Amino acid sequence: MKHLTILGAGLSLLALPFISIPVFAVEKYVSDVIYVPVRSDKNPQAGILQQGVPSGTKLNFLHEEIGADNSLWSLVVTPEGTEGWIRSQNISDKPTAALKLAALSDSSRNLLSLQTENTELKTQLEKLQQEHQQLLNDTEDMRQAATTALNLEEEHQRMLTENQLLQTHADVLKAENEKLKDADRFNHWLYGGGLIIGGVLLSFILQGLGRRKRKSEWR
């Protein structure tokens, strides 16, 4: 029984390399400007599953082991879905300089686009401010024009009122002038009538004096 237990333990140890252990994949990148083959085993003599994976290619890293050449090998999955082994020295945790430069170029293009958009927005804002100021000026002109029109209307009404008062005063003066004319004509009539009556009386008096004088001469 003891021998069976030892045998079972030995078989378990032998089977460990063939047991698939679930692991979490992380991203790795093919480093430098090279083309790396993906092999079927962690051995430089193992068959090539995928030829010439270019630098900068994003790989899913599964785990790392020591290979037949005593070098570290990484089990990876390529974008095409090929699972195989690549020497760990040929992959990196960070993107290559070319990818960083491309990302930087994209950022620069985005920054340039934002700057252009910002300039356009500033231009639009200045235009809107000018239009707003023009509207304020037009509104002020309209208000002043309305005030001027109101003042002119008030002045017109005042002048009409004064004209009516002047017309009334002129009518009164005209009426008084007519009265004065009538009174003057009456005075002239009285004066003329008085002169006529006086002349007649004076004629009678002179005639009477003449008769008395003749009578006295006859005596």
Side-chain angles (χ1 to χ4, degrees), residues 7-218:
L7 180 60
L11 292 174
S12 298
L13 291 174
L14 291 174
L16 281 176
F18 302 98
I19 297 175
S20 178
I21 301 174
V23 293
F24 294 99
V26 296
E27 293 179 350
K28 296 280 187 174
Y29 297 87
V30 175
S31 62
D32 299 326
V33 185
I34 57 175
Y35 292 90
V36 181
V38 178
R39 299 185 181 274
S40 60
D41 198 2
K42 47 187 180 296
N43 188 330
Q45 306 301 324
I48 297 175
L49 301 177
Q50 184 172 334
Q51 182 68 40
V53 179
S55 57
T57 302
K58 185 189 300 184
L59 305 173
N60 286 330
F61 173 80
L62 300 180
H63 64 272
E64 190 177 50
E65 294 182 9
I66 296 176
D69 58 351
N70 292 323
S71 298
L72 288 175
W73 289 72
S74 297
L75 182 61
V76 299
V77 179
T78 67
E80 292 77 16
T82 302
E83 181 177 332
W85 294 89
I86 289 180
R87 282 183 177 178
S88 297
Q89 66 183 19
N90 293 329
I91 61 176
S92 171
D93 294 335
K94 298 179 180 179
T96 61
L99 291 177
K100 291 181 179 178
L101 181 60
L104 181 60
S105 299
D106 291 339
S107 299
S108 300
R109 285 194 294 269
N110 291 335
L111 178 59
L112 180 61
S113 176
L114 288 175
Q115 290 176 344
T116 303
E117 184 178 358
N118 186 34
T119 302
E120 292 176 354
L121 289 175
K122 286 183 178 179
T123 303
Q124 293 178 4
L125 178 60
E126 291 177 357
K127 184 178 180 180
L128 289 175
Q129 288 176 342
Q130 292 175 357
E131 291 178 353
H132 177 67
Q133 186 61 42
Q134 185 62 39
L135 286 174
L136 289 178
N137 294 337
D138 293 344
T139 302
E140 180 63 20
D141 292 342
M142 292 175 64
R143 187 188 67 80
Q144 292 180 358
T147 302
T148 303
L150 181 61
N151 293 336
L152 289 175
E153 179 64 22
E154 292 177 351
E155 182 67 16
H156 179 66
Q157 292 296 330
R158 185 184 66 80
M159 292 179 67
L160 285 177
T161 303
E162 291 181 356
N163 186 50
Q164 290 176 354
L165 292 175
L166 290 173
Q167 185 65 37
T168 302
H169 185 63
D171 292 339
V172 171
L173 290 176
K174 185 177 180 181
E176 291 180 353
N177 189 36
E178 290 294 331
K179 290 180 180 180
L180 289 174
K181 287 181 179 180
D182 292 341
D184 187 57
R185 283 195 293 270
F186 181 72
N187 290 333
H188 281 85
W189 183 79
L190 288 177
Y191 180 72
L195 289 176
I196 293 172
I197 294 173
V200 171
L201 292 176
L202 181 62
S203 177
F204 285 141
I205 293 172
L206 290 176
Q207 288 179 1
L209 291 175
R211 290 174 183 174
R212 289 179 183 180
K213 184 176 181 180
R214 291 190 193 98
K215 288 179 179 182
S216 23
E217 288 178 353
W218 289 344

